[in-house]
């Protein structure tokens, strides 16, 4: 073997050893999570084990002690997924969101809670509130504001009569893609999307597809599902990459939003209060 091959083989062997060590330590962490659940249950704490302020504290320490080369935000995302998986062993969380699958709201759920939660799709924002109020879901995630279209007034109105509290917030970069069963936007006769998404892509649509019919849907996930159910019709949806993968659609045009820094802010709602010390750290959890 050459010196290059020797060094490559040694580096790969070191990675394999590190992977084994990391896996053992994740398993040790999971077992401790199970032990914590047992301790809490014996002390009479039978509620859900999710504590936003505790999670924020852990993620803050992860970022503070990060030495690279991965960014602090990347390390926090990795740790969040580990925490999500461990929490599912203690007390599996159910989170309601604006469905169907593949919406940006579901993306916000995964960003805040990780992928180990049980995500529960709802048809409308008011249904998310009712589902959490009834105890069917531990938490809900609802859109509250978009950087270009402003406040989602319907969400604000629902807080007037709801006993639910704001437990955290998530800021999600929004990149709209034109999804279709064809690879290029040529020949598309109808574009389906949530009204806000149509508004956020107004200039692109007027320039590239001026003759296309614009149809509104209750969510971008539903729009993608409609397009998937009607192949060969010249239809397209505006949605994110997860919807393209979920509904097996092609990205006919990427990043068609009019503003490149387009972001949407979501609120995490639940019956649980925020950190009792008054140090509301829940937004930190979502910023990473």
């Amino acid at each position: 073997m050459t010196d290059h091959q020797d060094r490559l083989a040694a580096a790969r062997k070191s990675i394999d050893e590190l992977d084994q060590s990391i896996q053992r330590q994740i398993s040790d962490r999971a077992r401790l999570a199970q032990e914590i659940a047992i301790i809490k249950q014996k002390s009479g704490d039978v509620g859900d084990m999710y504590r936003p302020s505790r999670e924020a504290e852990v993620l803050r320490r992860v970022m503070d002690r990060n030495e690279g080369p991965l960014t602090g935000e990347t390390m926090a995302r990795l740790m969040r997924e580990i925490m999500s998986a461990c929490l599912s062993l203690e007390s599996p969380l159910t989170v309601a969101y604006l469905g169907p699958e593949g919406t940006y709201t579901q993306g916000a759920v995964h960003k805040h809670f990780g992928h180990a939660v049980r995500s529960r799709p709802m048809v409308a924002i008011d249904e998310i509130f009712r589902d959490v109020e009834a105890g069917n879901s531990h938490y809900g995630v609802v859109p509250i504001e978009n950087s270009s279209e402003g406040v989602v007034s319907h969400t604000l109105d629902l807080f007037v009569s709801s006993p639910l509290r704001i437990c955290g917030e998530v800021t999600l970069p929004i990149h709209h893609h034109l999804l279709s069963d064809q690879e290029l936007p040529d020949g598309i006769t109808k574009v389906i999307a949530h009204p806000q998404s149509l508004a956020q892509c107004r200039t692109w649509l007027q320039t590239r597809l001026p003759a296309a019919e614009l149809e509104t849907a209750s969510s971008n996930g539903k729009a993608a599902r409609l397009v998937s159910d009607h192949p060969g019709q010249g239809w397209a949806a505006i949605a994110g990459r997860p919807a393209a993968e979920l509904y097996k659609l092609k990205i006919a045009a990427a990043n068609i939003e009019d503003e490149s820094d387009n972001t949407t802010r979501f609120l995490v709602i639940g019956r649980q209060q925020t950190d009792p010390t008054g140090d509301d750290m829940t937004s930190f959890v979502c910023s990473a």
Side-chain angles (χ1 to χ4, degrees):
M1 294 178 68
T2 66
D3 179 61
H4 171 76
Q5 291 173 323
D6 288 341
R7 290 172 59 195
L8 184 60
R12 285 174 173 168
K13 183 174 183 294
S14 295
I15 284 179
D16 289 342
E17 291 171 352
L18 281 171
D19 286 346
Q20 292 180 27
S21 177
I22 291 169
Q23 186 173 347
R24 282 195 299 270
Q25 291 182 61
I26 291 175
S27 295
D28 288 343
R29 191 189 195 283
R31 281 188 283 270
L32 284 171
Q34 290 178 314
E35 184 179 340
I36 288 172
I38 294 171
I39 293 170
K40 287 184 175 181
Q41 289 166 3
K42 287 182 177 180
S43 66
D45 186 352
V46 294
D48 70 79
M49 305 296 177
Y50 174 67
R51 296 295 180 267
S53 58
R54 164 64 178 165
E55 181 169 319
E57 178 186 354
V58 171
L59 293 177
R60 190 188 302 279
R61 290 202 300 265
V62 167
M63 296 183 71
D64 287 346
R65 66 175 174 251
N66 182 50
E67 297 179 355
L70 296 177
T71 66
E73 289 78 11
T74 298
M75 291 297 291
R77 283 197 296 272
L78 292 171
M79 180 56 73
R80 183 185 288 109
E81 289 298 332
I82 292 172
M83 294 168 68
S84 177
C86 291
L87 181 62
S88 70
L89 296 174
E90 295 181 56
S91 173
L93 290 180
T94 301
V95 182
Y97 70 96
L98 185 62
E101 289 185 275
T103 62
Y104 294 111
T105 314
Q106 187 182 32
V109 170
H110 291 154
K111 183 175 182 180
H112 188 84
F113 291 97
H115 286 72
V117 297
R118 299 168 181 166
S119 51
R120 181 177 166 88
M122 297 287 116
V123 175
I125 294 175
D126 58 323
E127 286 194 13
I128 299 174
F129 275 77
R130 288 198 296 270
D131 196 64
V132 179
E133 289 169 4
N136 297 322
S137 294
H138 296 95
Y139 297 94
V141 174
V142 293
I144 186 62
E145 183 180 26
N146 178 263
S147 58
S148 60
E149 294 302 308
V151 172
V152 182
S153 57
H154 184 46
T155 299
L156 283 179
D157 293 341
L158 290 167
F159 277 108
V160 175
S161 58
S162 176
L164 298 181
R165 300 174 181 272
I166 298 172
C167 303
E169 63 179 62
V170 190
T171 300
L172 195 69
I174 302 297
H175 295 294
H176 291 309
H177 306 312
L178 191 71
L179 309 185
S180 178
D181 59 351
Q182 58 189 57
E183 294 183 352
L184 296 172
D186 304 331
I188 288 176
T189 59
K190 179 190 287 189
V191 178
I192 310 170
H194 187 276
Q196 279 211 342
S197 297
L198 289 172
Q200 291 163 23
C201 303
R202 185 183 296 111
T203 301
W204 191 94
L205 291 169
Q206 290 174 348
T207 303
R208 296 294 305 275
L209 297 172
E213 175 189 355
L214 304 183
E215 181 178 311
T216 61
S218 58
S219 73
N220 292 328
K222 182 177 181 180
R225 188 171 65 186
L226 281 171
V227 171
S228 179
D229 289 343
H230 295 81
Q233 301 294 314
W235 292 8
I238 296 175
R241 193 173 297 274
E245 296 170 356
L246 179 65
Y247 297 107
K248 296 179 172 54
L249 295 172
K250 298 179 176 65
I251 297 180
N255 301 330
I256 67 172
E257 63 274 5
D258 295 335
E259 297 184 13
S260 59
D261 59 349
N262 186 28
T263 59
T264 295
R265 190 162 63 96
F266 300 85
L267 296 179
V268 180
I269 57 174
R271 297 178 300 278
Q272 175 180 302
Q273 294 187 27
T274 53
D275 184 67
T277 64
D279 180 16
D280 186 2
M281 300 163 64
T282 56
S283 61
F284 174 83
V285 177
C286 320
S287 64

